[in-house]
Amino acid sequence: MIDGGGFLIPGKKNISFDVGEEVIVPFLHRRGVRRLDAILLSHPHPDHYGGLAAVVREFNVGEFWWNGQSFPDESFQELLSLLKEKRIPIKLLLAGQNLQWNDLMMEVLYPEKVISTRNINDNSIVLRMTYGEARFLFAGDIEKIGEEALSDKV
């Protein structure tokens, strides 16, 4: 699973609506999902991690992948605490790493390292997935810096 939706601005969300509880978890149950091998968080903005706590509470998760960059909001700290409480292994992903499941190849293209002074969007994990002849690019929310860094890789 890549990212988990949510609201962009912490503290401005409709507190009675949790995208994880209301949308993602029911969808996964309807699809017969009982376990997630991994959850990848492209970058720690609330509109990408907002529904993940509900998913982690509801499902067995094999690993949590992220870039290691934190976000100063209690909802993000809650997610990290939940991962620790459930003893879900956390793996940092950076450019150059390759992961493979059966016929699915995943290549981490970006970032080479997280730079804390850079816009969080430009620290987004960029992943190229290849399955047979099909290729998919998941680019998080990279902006100009990230796009320029990738111009010769995709």
Side-chain angles (χ1 to χ4, degrees), residues 58-92:
E58 186 69 21
F59 295 95
N60 289 324
V61 176
E63 291 183 324
F64 182 79
W65 303 341
W66 70 322
N67 65 8
Q69 185 170 21
S70 194
F71 186 72
D73 186 71
E74 67 182 56
S75 62
F76 188 69
Q77 300 311 312
E78 175 189 335
L79 173 61
L80 294 179
S81 294
L82 188 57
L83 293 166
K84 185 177 180 181
E85 176 185 316
K86 292 191 75 175
R87 297 181 179 186
I88 297 171
I90 296 173
K91 179 184 255 183
L92 299 180

Side-chain angles (χ1 to χ4, degrees), residues 84-152:
K84 185 177 180 181
E85 176 185 316
K86 292 191 75 175
R87 297 181 179 186
I88 297 171
I90 296 173
K91 179 184 255 183
L92 299 180
L93 296 185
L94 295 172
Q97 292 174 286
N98 295 320
L99 309 154
Q100 186 159 359
W101 272 315
N102 300 320
D103 295 332
L104 176 67
M105 171 60 96
M106 295 173 282
E107 304 165 82
V108 182
L109 302 178
Y110 183 83
E112 290 183 12
K113 64 180 179 178
V114 169
I115 299 174
S116 61
T117 57
R118 184 165 46 199
N119 179 315
I120 288 177
N121 286 342
D122 272 321
N123 283 324
S124 291
I125 292 172
V126 177
L127 187 70
R128 177 172 44 205
M129 299 175 76
T130 304
Y131 185 77
E133 297 297 316
R135 289 179 131 185
F136 305 92
L137 183 69
F138 294 94
D141 280 346
I142 59 168
E143 296 178 13
K144 186 176 182 178
I145 292 170
E147 290 171 359
E148 288 172 352
L150 286 172
S151 64
D152 64 339

Side-chain angles (χ1 to χ4, degrees), residues 2-18:
I2 299 175
D3 289 342
F7 295 90
L8 182 58
I9 303 169
K12 299 284 186 186
K13 65 182 181 179
N14 178 346
I15 295 173
S16 67
F17 182 82
D18 180 314

